[in-house]
Amino acid sequence: MPPLTVPTYPSGTTSADLLYSALIDTYVADDIFYGLGNYTAAEVGTKFATKTSMATELSTNLKQLGELAEKPGKTDSKITKLKTRNFLLPGKRTNTVEFAISGISAKQKDYFEGTLFSGTEITIVAVNKERERATIFNGMRWVIEWSGEADGLWSVVISTEYSGSSSGRVYLIKGLV
């Protein structure tokens, strides 16, 4: 059996990045914005570098979808486990993202159901009220499910699923000043 060696990390990653104290929360958000298309990593680095640059991006290039519901949603990343005679190997990775929005109008509901939303590559940005944290779900196709009550306000669940790594698709931003 060969001796243990120090792990090799991807370019730009150090062992300090993987310490417990460096972990980031999953999306903690209050408001949700969207725009058509996607960002490059460089664009995320500049447009979400500070509170001011993020505020400019949110007001200039994105539209607010609404305020997230009490249970705002979830993200999930699962891998199919492939068994060999002696080991488990990683198979296909499936990622899901889901947002719950409350209090949208009938016209908004109709827009979300249409091809201008559901048939288009969309980037969703979830931000907290203080605008110091954001989670960017970059360039995905989203579908909606909705329900309504007698008060005329609709609740919508926006979701997506994709295969593979989340690199380039999910960006976690925190500690903006």
Side-chain angles (χ1 to χ4, degrees), residues 2-3 8 11 17 20 25 28 34 36 39-40 58 63 72-73 81 83 96 103 108 119 133 141 157-158 170-171 174:
T8 303
S11 177
D17 295 327
Y20 183 77
D25 300 310
V28 174
Y34 79 103
L36 304 179
Y39 292 115
T40 64
L58 293 176
K63 295 290 182 196
K81 298 173 190 166
K83 290 185 178 187
T96 58
Q108 288 171 312
R133 304 170 85 180
R141 296 192 185 271
V157 174
I158 300 172
V170 179
Y171 295 94
K174 76 171 188 173

Side-chain angles (χ1 to χ4, degrees), residues 32-173:
I32 182 171
F33 294 80
Y34 79 103
L36 304 179
N38 60 40
Y39 292 115
T40 64
E43 289 172 326
V44 170
T46 57
K47 294 180 180 203
F48 294 87
T50 65
K51 279 183 165 184
T52 304
S53 62
M54 182 168 75
T56 300
E57 181 64 9
L58 293 176
S59 64
T60 306
N61 296 320
L62 299 168
K63 295 290 182 196
Q64 188 166 1
L65 270 172
E67 188 171 304
L68 291 168
E70 186 176 326
K71 291 194 175 200
K74 63 181 180 173
T75 59
D76 206 0
S77 182
K78 295 187 178 184
I79 196 156
T80 304
K81 298 173 190 166
L82 304 174
K83 290 185 178 187
T84 68
R85 186 183 315 189
N86 299 315
F87 302 102
L88 280 178
L89 298 173
K92 178 183 173 185
R93 177 168 297 283
T94 302
N95 306 282
T96 58
V97 182
E98 187 175 278
F99 291 105
I101 302 173
S102 293
I104 65 169
S105 70
K107 285 187 177 185
Q108 288 171 312
K109 175 193 67 69
D110 292 343
Y111 171 69
F112 293 144
E113 284 183 329
T115 57
L116 291 176
F117 184 86
S118 292
T120 306
E121 189 175 85
I122 291 177
T123 294
I124 290 184
V125 180
V127 297
N128 68 341
K129 291 280 185 205
E130 296 79 22
R131 303 298 194 253
E132 64 190 7
R133 304 170 85 180
T135 305
I136 302 166
F137 297 93
N138 195 30
M140 300 178 202
R141 296 192 185 271
W142 301 81
V143 296
I144 70 132
E145 295 174 323
W146 58 266
S147 63
E149 296 192 19
D151 61 6
L153 294 177
W154 304 90
S155 294
V156 171
V157 174
I158 300 172
S159 59
T160 191
E161 184 175 297
Y162 63 94
S163 296
S165 169
S166 62
S167 178
R169 293 184 186 251
V170 179
Y171 295 94
L172 305 169
I173 312 292

